[in-house]
Amino acid sequence: MTRVTAGVAAAMCLGGAVMLHAAQDRWTPPSVDRPELLYVRSPAVVKRAVLGYDAIVADVYWIRALQHFGEERLSPPQHVRTYALLYPLLDLTTTLDPYFSIAYRFGSIFLGEPYPGGPGRPDEAVALLEKGLTAQPAKWQYMQDLGFVYYWHLRDFNAAASAFQRAADMPGAPSWLRPLAAVTLAEGGNRKASRALWQQLAQSEEPWLSDAATLRLAQLDAMEVMEAWRNFRRQRGVTPPLPLDPSGTPFAIDPLTGDITVARESKLFPLPGQIQAPR
Amino acid sequence: MNAARCVAVAVFRESVRDKVFYNLVLFAVLLVGASVLIGQLTAGQDVKIIKDLGLAATSLFGLFIAIFVGISLVSKEVDRRSVYPLLAKPVRRTEFIVGKYCGLLLTLLANVIVMAIALYAVLFFLARGVPSQLQRAWDTPALDPALLKAIALIYLNLAVVTAVALFFSTYSSPILSAIFTLGIYVVGQFNADLKHFDRIVDSPAAIAVAKACYYVLPDFAKFDVKLAVVHGVPVSGTYMAATAAYAALYVAALLCGAVVIFSRRDFK
Amino acid sequence: MSAIRTRALSKDYHVGFWRPRPYRALDNLSIDVAPGDVFGFLGPNGAGKTTTLKLLMQLVFPTSGDAEILGRPVGDVGVRRRIGYLPENPYFYDHLTAEELLDYYGRLFGMSAAHRRARISATLERVGIGPERRLALRKFSKGMLQRVGIAQALLNDPEVLFLDEPMSGLDPLGRRDVRALMLELRDQGRTIFFSSHILSDAEALCSQVAIIAKGQLAAAGRLADLQHFAVLGWELVMSGVPAAALDRIRARARRVQSIAGDRYVIDLPPDGKPEEMLRELTAAGATLVSLNPLRETLEELFVRRVAEVGNGARP
């Protein structure tokens, strides 16, 4: 075989392989809902397998967790968002790197998020945070986040107040935790206490955390406006015009209940408690 | 020890001529590439991830060099018989072993130093674009001097692995040496499990063997403070000193073992 | 004081993996080399020559017996400053140049930089390596590597030289150069111990030889002593021999052979009185071409002694 013949044969074989690859991709039907696979689920196994390169593998799992979350968030409306891998990936990340605080905090905010913003699993958020506290028992941020999960998602105001209290007792804790504990205990479920909590979180340096908090504050403002509108209608017997919600989109009337509600196109949709996850 | 010094310099020069240091190019490409690409992916964790990547790559590349060059340090000279004219010169066999070891250690030192400089350079450029307010929220500063502690312990880790590889190289073929050295490295990472073998198995004999292995085999997990350093958990001077002493003792034991084997070896 | 001395030096190797049996590579070798001698260590392949050299260089350790160089036991590091060694089929370091190799060895001897430079130039020149000294050794031919090998053996101006097959890999010109070099070194008063299986080199160079076969010493001593000095016969070559004389010659000669026309080789027995035959044939009109006594060559001695060892005889 001459060199030229061999070179041409090589190019042709490679070209053939490439074309076959592309063709196989076309033949396989596109599956939108193919479940994502996580080959190794057990954090204990992974920790042993990485042979001392824990931190960098934790980073890889963190990136995957973010990507998974983002993909689910941005998927088309007909896709059922399960966020199935969010907790396993965050669990793997934090087992490999127990000090990876952003993973715990991200989990605390978004694991408890009800459908469609998150998997709606506040129990997983609690488990993750408690794991973080085992590794770093004096980290007040985790205790504060625990309080937040009890408050906002589990609606257990006693547990939330106790968590805020314990956080306030930890070294380095900011001064606003103690009054927050008190307010939670006294008026848990009250919008005022919730607003105080979100206002603190809105000042965080983590952009995604402060953005989430700002959104919540806007939603609280919307709920205030909606309540004022209902009161006005009840007292005057007249249906007032629909104002603009804090994000600039006008409110809407729910056709089923006749009640004021945030419009679907609004950035503030859905308000907490508005949509149920499909079973 | 003039002879040992000559042999060490010869090993270093051979590493250069064998283009071992080209691994630094790959290292640089990896770090720079990662720092460019990860910005979008990580929700503000760039600096942490670059530190993790830099330390992991320093350790991994160094490990490859320590093992692949280490296993043939002695066996190559013996197989090629260049050891014949060498040992006819006024060189004791002990000086030969020590010289070979120090030569590879020198190669690894140069490698690790350049990698450390590259890592700090990349971190410097990465941190330049970030406002100081955000920087204060980080667990550790970008140009954290504590990274040097992690790097120093990585180097000591490599020193022990090199000694293991050299020890096997005195009488084994390269393939066997590689298998043994890698095997010891892997078991050394699982040291914690060996200590607690009684949680997994019931047989007292197995537990006793595992406990013996835990104490006798080198505990490579000691040298890994990468997590602590990146998250600002302090690593005490005492820990560094104790670990360094452990490394020194282990290396000395292995080198003496190598001398025992090599001193009476017949070169057929 | 001997330059080199061995006493009952023996080496067993263990052959076989499962039940190793000892293989006696060298059996009770006792030799003595005086300073200034050129000692030829001869034997067929696999006889134990290289094993002996390795034992002298302490590359292998003896099973029993001992050896001394310049009065010191063989492992002594100090003595290595005064010896040079050329291994068989030498291999050095591919990535170094000839100069760098000698510089490395020179540093091991503890030579100062200036001294090293001088010695490197001198030795490379002496072995005939010129501009190639800056080439990497991987580019060297076998003959050139052999020359580098000799250069590194000479680097420290040694009193005793150990050369294992010094002529191997050299073309006839190279061998002539090395022979000349060895004679020069002998004239400088150095002791040379070399092993070879090429007997003509030994005949030309050695004052003493030892013949070794199957690990045993078959013969040792001065070359002249070993070869039977007795004449084994005469070889008379005459031209212009008249045909009439041939019958008379054949009666007294062991063999008569015609080589060209009227030129004959006449093989006479030891008591064949070649002078008489010469006078007779000259009177008959023939011309003398050559007259040589036949003595045992080194090769014949070698073959005889090796065969004796094979038959279990002791020297």
Side-chain angles (χ1 to χ4, degrees):
Chain A
M1 206 187 221
T2 66
R3 289 184 70 201
V4 173
T5 319
V8 169
M12 283 176 61
C13 288
L14 186 61
V18 168
M19 288 199 295
L20 186 61
H21 186 51
Q24 270 192 307
D25 273 353
R26 280 197 299 273
W27 293 336
T28 324
S31 50
V32 177
D33 278 318
R34 220 171 49 184
E36 261 199 63
L37 288 177
L38 197 58
Y39 288 110
V40 191
R41 284 217 176 216
S42 158
V45 169
V46 174
K47 195 158 177 78
R48 274 170 188 72
V50 293
L51 294 181
Y53 294 102
D54 310 40
I56 191 75
V57 178
D59 291 335
V60 170
Y61 277 122
W62 164 246
I63 293 176
R64 280 190 68 184
L66 283 180
Q67 281 184 321
H68 174 69
F69 183 75
E71 265 169 15
E72 292 280 284
R73 268 281 186 141
L74 297 174
S75 58
Q78 60 268 31
H79 171 77
V80 176
R81 299 176 189 180
T82 56
Y83 298 91
L85 296 182
L86 186 59
Y87 176 68
L89 286 169
L90 288 175
D91 191 27
L92 282 161
T93 306
T94 51
T95 305
L96 289 169
D97 184 351
Y99 301 106
F100 207 150
S101 53
I102 192 176
Y104 294 111
R105 307 205 70 195
F106 188 88
S108 73
I109 298 291
F110 292 111
L111 277 171
E113 273 286 305
Y115 188 87
R121 293 291 303 273
D123 58 323
E124 286 178 346
V126 168
L128 198 63
L129 284 168
E130 283 180 348
K131 183 168 136 190
L133 282 165
T134 317
Q136 290 179 284
K139 197 138 173 116
W140 62 265
Q141 289 94 334
Y142 297 164
M143 192 58 88
Q144 178 217 295
D145 290 346
L146 197 60
F148 162 78
V149 173
Y150 278 124
Y151 184 103
W152 190 255
H153 296 299
L154 290 169
R155 307 244 140 233
D156 182 347
F157 304 116
N158 282 333
S162 136
F164 289 138
Q165 184 64 44
R166 275 181 292 159
D169 290 335
M170 287 177 177
S175 49
W176 47 262
L177 274 173
R178 216 172 292 279
L180 183 61
V183 160
T184 309
L185 205 52
E187 300 180 63
N190 188 311
R191 238 173 264 135
K192 183 165 149 192
S194 307
R195 183 180 293 276
L197 177 57
W198 283 118
Q199 265 166 351
Q200 289 304 333
L201 290 176
Q203 289 164 23
S204 160
E205 293 103 358
E206 304 279 2
W208 51 269
L209 188 51
S210 64
D211 286 348
T214 315
L215 181 71
R216 289 283 178 241
L217 285 170
Q219 286 177 330
L220 284 173
D221 291 339
M223 283 157 73
E224 302 267 329
V225 171
M226 281 160 61
E227 188 151 313
W229 188 91
R230 286 190 201 104
N231 287 340
F232 187 92
R233 188 169 69 165
R234 202 183 32 232
Q235 285 164 7
R236 304 294 178 83
V238 192
T239 306
L242 291 170
L244 292 177
D245 72 23
S247 73
T249 314
F251 285 102
I253 301 275
D254 187 333
L256 289 171
T257 59
D259 192 10
I260 184 173
T261 177
V262 164
R264 258 180 203 268
E265 318 79 70
S266 167
K267 284 200 202 60
L268 304 181
F269 184 83
L271 287 183
Q274 255 191 304
I275 293 210
Q276 288 289 30
R279 284 272 135 231
Chain B
M1 276 291 159
N2 160 61
R5 194 163 44 94
C6 292
V7 173
V9 169
V11 170
F12 184 81
R13 185 174 22 197
E14 189 172 354
S15 301
V16 172
R17 302 244 175 123
D18 278 347
K19 302 184 169 52
V20 164
F21 289 109
Y22 277 32
N23 81 93
L24 292 170
V25 174
L26 183 61
F27 181 79
V29 166
L30 193 65
L31 270 190
V32 171
S35 64
V36 164
L37 290 174
I38 62 167
Q40 306 304 315
L41 293 176
T42 61
Q45 294 296 296
D46 315 33
V47 167
K48 172 195 184 292
I49 293 184
I50 290 294
K51 283 185 187 176
D52 287 338
L53 185 62
L55 290 176
T58 302
S59 168
L60 194 63
F61 286 28
L63 201 64
F64 275 125
I65 296 174
I67 295 185
F68 283 116
V69 179
I71 55 178
S72 58
L73 269 181
V74 173
S75 54
K76 188 156 108 166
E77 283 232 33
V78 172
D79 285 344
R80 305 248 186 117
R81 299 182 306 163
S82 52
V83 77
Y84 292 3
L86 188 65
L87 288 181
K89 307 280 179 289
V91 183
R92 289 182 190 80
R93 291 202 187 188
T94 307
E95 291 171 317
F96 176 76
I97 294 284
V98 171
K100 285 282 182 183
Y101 179 71
C102 290
L104 184 49
L105 227 53
L106 196 60
T107 305
L108 286 168
L109 185 66
N111 217 53
V112 166
I113 287 179
V114 173
M115 283 177 163
I117 294 174
L119 179 60
Y120 274 110
V122 170
L123 285 171
F124 174 73
F125 283 110
L126 207 58
R128 257 193 347 179
V130 178
S132 59
Q133 200 183 7
L134 219 57
Q135 289 199 23
R136 264 183 278 128
W138 285 341
D139 283 343
T140 51
L143 295 176
D144 187 9
L147 284 175
L148 291 172
K149 285 191 190 171
I151 293 175
L153 285 183
I154 288 176
Y155 181 69
L156 288 177
N157 188 358
L158 295 175
V160 177
V161 173
T162 304
V164 173
L166 175 76
F167 174 79
F168 287 119
S169 171
T170 55
Y171 67 88
S172 277
S173 73
I175 300 249
L176 275 181
S177 300
I179 293 175
F180 288 139
T181 308
L182 258 174
I184 289 191
Y185 183 72
V186 168
V187 173
Q189 294 288 338
F190 292 143
N191 247 12
D193 288 331
L194 283 178
K195 191 172 179 192
H196 300 298
F197 221 53
D198 47 353
R199 289 190 201 151
I200 308 176
V201 223
D202 273 337
S203 143
I207 294 173
V209 168
K211 262 230 160 80
C213 285
Y214 167 70
Y215 281 113
V216 172
L217 289 178
D219 180 5
F220 288 110
K222 265 199 227 290
F223 299 101
D224 185 3
V225 294
K226 306 197 274 283
L227 264 181
V229 153
V230 169
H231 287 287
V233 176
V235 177
S236 71
T238 321
Y239 182 82
M240 300 279 297
T243 310
Y246 177 74
L249 281 169
Y250 220 96
V251 163
L254 285 166
L255 285 185
C256 290
V259 165
V260 165
I261 295 175
F262 195 67
S263 302
R264 293 300 292 187
R265 193 177 157 182
D266 280 346
F267 298 113
K268 294 206 244 291
Chain C
M1 182 182 75
S2 324
I4 306 169
R5 188 158 71 133
T6 73
R7 268 191 297 235
L9 196 60
S10 305
K11 178 66 188 169
D12 285 336
Y13 285 121
H14 292 277
V15 178
F17 187 73
W18 295 113
R19 289 161 60 192
R21 268 162 296 125
Y23 163 72
R24 194 135 258 235
L26 195 67
D27 188 15
N28 265 298
L29 181 73
S30 296
I31 54 173
D32 209 313
V33 179
D37 265 356
V38 178
F39 191 92
F41 201 57
L42 312 173
N45 294 328
K49 305 193 297 294
T50 300
T51 305
T52 306
L53 269 154
K54 284 192 197 171
L55 281 162
L56 287 169
M57 291 297 109
Q58 221 185 35
L59 291 168
V60 302
F61 294 88
T63 310
S64 59
D66 59 69
E68 276 177 7
I69 301 175
L70 293 169
R72 312 278 303 142
V74 142
D76 188 78
V77 176
V79 121
R80 298 200 208 142
R81 290 187 193 283
R82 299 151 70 188
I83 66 173
Y85 171 54
L86 170 67
E88 190 182 355
N89 290 326
Y91 178 89
F92 302 107
Y93 304 101
D94 271 345
H95 61 284
L96 293 179
T97 67
E99 269 182 344
E100 287 169 340
L101 177 78
L102 293 182
D103 189 68
Y104 177 37
Y105 289 152
R107 282 173 197 265
L108 286 172
F109 281 116
M111 292 179 180
S112 70
H115 187 205
R116 273 201 311 270
R117 264 198 300 276
R119 287 301 301 160
I120 292 173
S121 284
T123 48
L124 285 176
E125 208 179 292
R126 184 65 195 81
V127 298
I129 292 185
E132 301 92 349
R133 58 189 10 197
R134 297 217 171 81
L135 277 180
L137 287 171
R138 67 167 66 90
K139 301 205 168 89
F140 274 36
S141 68
K142 188 163 190 280
M144 284 168 71
L145 267 180
Q146 190 75 5
R147 288 170 195 263
V148 170
I150 296 174
Q152 61 89 30
L154 292 175
L155 189 66
N156 54 325
D157 216 7
E159 293 167 41
V160 185
L161 271 163
F162 295 86
L163 310 173
D164 198 344
E165 307 277 356
M167 312 295 192
S168 101
L170 294 174
D171 61 20
L173 287 175
R175 288 163 61 171
R176 190 193 57 183
D177 287 339
V178 171
R179 261 207 296 273
L181 174 64
M182 284 169 75
L183 288 172
E184 194 182 303
L185 293 168
R186 180 198 64 187
D187 292 339
Q188 288 167 1
R190 299 177 214 261
T191 313
I192 303 179
F193 181 100
F194 77 100
S195 80
S196 184
H197 59 269
I198 300 173
L199 300 173
S200 49
D201 293 335
E203 268 178 324
L205 293 167
C206 296
S207 46
Q208 292 221 59
V209 295
I211 299 179
I212 182 172
K214 292 203 174 86
Q216 289 172 4
L217 190 62
R222 310 209 78 81
L223 203 52
D225 294 340
L226 288 177
Q227 290 171 300
H228 289 306
F229 211 67
V231 170
L232 300 172
W234 300 94
E235 182 193 74
L236 179 60
V237 183
M238 306 280 302
S239 73
V241 177
L246 280 174
D247 291 325
R248 242 184 321 146
I249 299 168
R250 283 209 180 89
R252 285 151 60 186
R254 287 195 292 225
R255 200 169 61 126
V256 178
Q257 189 183 4
S258 151
I259 43 179
D262 57 359
R263 189 179 292 205
Y264 289 90
V265 177
I266 305 166
D267 183 354
L268 294 168
D271 54 354
K273 295 214 181 54
E275 317 81 23
E276 273 183 31
M277 177 156 293
L278 179 59
R279 256 201 311 276
E280 284 174 32
L281 289 173
T282 318
T287 330
L288 172 67
V289 176
S290 71
L291 172 60
N292 281 318
L294 296 174
R295 295 202 171 90
E296 188 181 37
T297 63
L298 183 56
E299 185 178 339
E300 286 161 350
L301 167 71
F302 183 91
V303 168
R304 177 163 61 88
R305 287 305 184 101
V306 167
E308 279 168 12
V309 167
N311 295 337
R314 289 240 128 237

